[in-house]
Amino acid sequence: MRTSLCDELGIEHPVFGFTPSEHVAAAISRAGGLGVLGCVRFNDAEDLDRALTWMDENTDGKPYGVDIVMPATVPKEGTQIDLASLIPQSHKEFVQQTLLKLGVPPLPDGEGGEGVLGWLHSVARSHVDVALAHPIRLIANALGSPPTDVIEQVHAAGVPVAALAGKAEHARRHVANGVDIVVAQGYEAGGHTGEVATMVLVPEIVDAVDVPVLAAGGIGSGRQAAAAMALGASGVWMGSYWLTTAEYTLGNSSTQQALLAAGSSDTVRTRIYTGKPARLLKTRWTEAWTSAEAPDPLPMPLQNILVSEAHLRIARSDDPSVVSMPVGQVVGRMNEVRPVAEVLEDLLAEFDATVERLTKLR
């Protein structure tokens, strides 16, 4: 399993592993893929700098990348207090009442507060500045093309830019803006997704652009990776599948318990996480937002500010039935906790076996 991207980025296998955990990202890179650390959880530039310094020291000199969340158009944004003031009181009351009904305990005194600010454009720009001070090999943007000045800044540092796309027209626009790698993310994926399935989307985007394309959405085996390559992809982008690895330390036991018990139909695509459509694990928390008394989700970034403290309380509750976690339909294959290296080794072995089997069919 090797393509031209391997030589360009200095990796052994074209397996790109997105994760919010630096421990998982480093393990992916050490195993021969490209670990891509999600930056959105870092409110403070110093915290991100510490995480990337840890990556520098724990990847055995192997390449790694980062993922930011930055819209192409620069939004008008005020301070955190200004944004919080835009959230209707009725939404705040619904969240508090729902947490009470679900039995989610409050946070200890002094915890909580500002929420996740990585959704803000200004914070995402600071993430880029911090990342470029480290030997990263890729910056990916989860919301499509970054602004052109950011792309120019990244290119000036000799780093390629990747962008997620849910439609062929999005991919063409990304490339026109200067994006080097397109991640074709299908409907099955966790987190923000479009409405086109991976099997349909990947060849559409491969045919639409003249840059390398990574297949994303529903990939958790060597057979699926081989299928992606057969569709024209130059590699695979995997996010959800690393959530049940042994190195994943951001969550708690209840999060992994919920993921391990879920089937492929136990997810839902909703706006309640960030304000944009995202696929989450279906739990009592997501079901509460479908009730008659539930308000409509707010636009990004207000929705995430609204629910950020709720997510922290849920994570501390140790109750698998209320977990709030982005995950794709591949969750049905995530049935045991295993080290990253073992997961990647099995994927590569199955990829080789699949290619060999197909070769014999000729």
Side-chain angles (χ1 to χ4, degrees):
M1 187 176 180
R2 190 170 181 85
T3 66
S4 61
L5 276 180
C6 296
D7 295 328
E8 292 176 23
L9 299 176
I11 56 180
E12 296 175 51
H13 315 292
V15 177
F16 295 68
F18 164 78
T19 173
S21 166
E22 59 266 33
H23 299 278
V24 176
I28 293 168
S29 290
R30 291 196 303 268
L34 187 81
V36 181
L37 180 64
C39 296
V40 72
R41 71 181 177 90
F42 295 97
N43 290 351
D44 190 288
E46 293 182 359
D47 288 340
L48 176 59
D49 185 59
R50 280 191 289 268
L52 295 182
T53 298
W54 187 92
M55 291 277 292
D56 297 339
E57 298 169 350
N58 290 274
T59 49
D60 295 341
K62 301 290 185 66
Y64 70 89
V66 298
D67 179 277
I68 58 173
V69 178
M70 180 184 291
T73 56
V74 180
K76 294 179 180 179
E77 59 182 48
T79 66
Q80 166 70 2
I81 296 175
D82 293 332
L83 288 169
S85 69
L86 299 177
I87 299 175
Q89 183 62 30
S90 57
H91 280 68
K92 298 176 183 178
E93 292 174 356
F94 171 79
V95 169
Q96 294 305 316
Q97 292 169 3
T98 299
L99 292 172
L100 185 63
K101 290 177 182 177
L102 296 178
V104 178
L107 293 173
D109 290 343
E111 293 194 24
E114 61 185 353
V116 178
L117 303 184
W119 304 105
L120 302 184
H121 192 91
S122 57
V123 176
R125 281 180 177 268
S126 74
H127 290 165
V128 173
D129 294 337
V130 170
L132 290 178
H134 292 264
I136 61 167
R137 295 298 296 273
L138 181 74
I139 284 186
N141 187 25
L143 289 182
S145 302
T148 53
D149 69 294
V150 173
I151 295 176
E152 292 170 357
Q153 175 190 5
V154 177
H155 282 169
V159 176
V161 175
L164 275 66
K167 292 182 179 180
E169 63 189 79
H170 297 165
R172 283 190 287 265
R173 187 160 61 243
H174 296 345
V175 174
N177 289 341
V179 166
D180 306 286
I181 300 170
V182 174
V183 181
Q185 179 165 283
Y187 174 82
E188 306 96 318
H192 296 119
T193 74
E195 299 180 350
V196 183
T198 304
M199 181 66 75
V200 175
L201 181 66
V202 172
E204 285 188 354
I205 289 183
V206 167
D207 291 345
V209 298
D210 58 359
V211 301
V213 174
L214 303 178
I219 298 173
S221 71
R223 284 174 291 167
Q224 291 165 317
M229 307 289 267
L231 294 173
S234 297
V236 294
W237 176 279
M238 299 167 58
S240 298
Y241 211 61
W242 313 108
L243 293 172
T244 52
T245 55
E247 291 87 348
Y248 186 75
T249 57
L250 283 183
N252 54 23
S253 59
S254 64
T255 299
Q256 288 196 332
Q257 287 174 24
L259 294 170
L260 293 169
S264 57
S265 61
D266 294 327
T267 66
V268 60
R269 187 168 174 268
T270 175
R271 294 179 180 269
I272 69 170
Y273 198 78
T274 67
K276 289 184 177 292
R279 186 172 298 282
L280 311 178
L281 189 67
K282 188 186 300 181
T283 65
R284 292 196 295 146
W285 169 252
T286 61
E287 290 174 354
W289 283 87
T290 65
S291 65
E293 62 267 24
D296 292 333
L298 300 170
M300 180 185 280
L302 299 182
Q303 180 66 20
N304 188 260
I305 294 173
L306 169 67
V307 299
S308 60
E309 185 170 317
H311 289 168
L312 185 56
R313 288 174 58 178
I314 287 170
R316 298 288 183 85
S317 71
D318 201 30
D319 182 355
S321 73
V322 297
V323 165
S324 178
M325 172 60 69
V327 70
Q329 292 178 332
V330 74
V331 70
R333 298 185 59 87
M334 297 157 52
N335 300 318
E336 58 180 325
V337 176
R338 297 189 296 159
V340 164
E342 182 179 314
V343 170
L344 187 52
E345 182 181 4
D346 285 355
L347 183 145
L348 294 170
E350 187 177 85
F351 177 90
D352 290 342
T354 301
V355 172
E356 182 179 357
R357 177 174 57 84
L358 293 173
T359 301
K360 291 179 179 179
L361 294 177
R362 292 190 298 177

